[in-house]
Amino acid sequence: MGLWAVIRKSDGVMIGQCGLTWQPWKNRQVLEIGYLFNRKYWHLGYAAEAAAACRDLALDRLQAEEVCCIIRDSNEPSQKTALGIGMKPQDGEVRHCRGQDMPHTRCVLSRRLREGQEA
């Protein structure tokens, strides 16, 4: 578990990080796909590709029941990435970050729902 380096194959440049981590959510731990990319590489599909690989690792190889992304409500690009890999908004929570309250949404994809989508 953890964030792994995302290396662009064409030139070996590290362009960001992506991976699976356990995160607190409403008094329990949830398996989250996290992604952080250098701004220079935003909107090029790298986050979606890396997040999809982590989704597949969690649901297929690790047999997790579900995987999620916890995203600040104002972060539309990250929301688009989560929706693009098949997640759906499920619930919300206000978190205190950097001295202020910030609403967050948890987007979720369960293995059961994914299997139903592929059938």
Side-chain angles (χ1 to χ4, degrees), residues 23-117:
Q23 296 294 323
W25 183 262
K26 296 186 177 183
N27 299 317
R28 65 188 180 106
Q29 295 291 307
V30 296
L31 185 59
E32 182 193 30
I33 299 171
Y35 35 89
L36 302 163
F37 283 79
N38 181 311
R39 185 177 296 267
K40 180 178 174 180
Y41 302 104
W42 288 7
H43 309 292
L44 299 173
Y46 294 119
E49 184 178 351
C54 289
R55 173 203 62 204
D56 295 345
L57 173 66
L59 298 177
D60 300 336
R61 293 198 48 212
L62 301 178
Q63 295 292 299
E65 290 301 316
E66 70 177 28
V67 66
C68 71
C69 289
I70 300 170
I71 306 166
R72 201 167 77 204
D73 281 3
S74 61
N75 189 341
E76 292 179 20
S78 284
Q79 293 170 11
K80 184 178 175 184
T81 297
L83 297 175
I85 65 166
M87 293 184 171
K88 304 285 185 230
Q90 184 163 328
D91 53 359
E93 175 176 87
V94 175
R95 293 183 162 199
H96 192 74
C97 305
R98 299 185 193 124
Q100 55 186 306
D101 289 336
M102 297 180 183
H104 284 70
T105 299
R106 185 173 68 107
C107 296
V108 177
L109 179 61
S110 69
R111 187 161 34 108
R112 179 186 52 78
L113 178 61
R114 182 170 181 230
E115 289 169 354
Q117 289 174 345

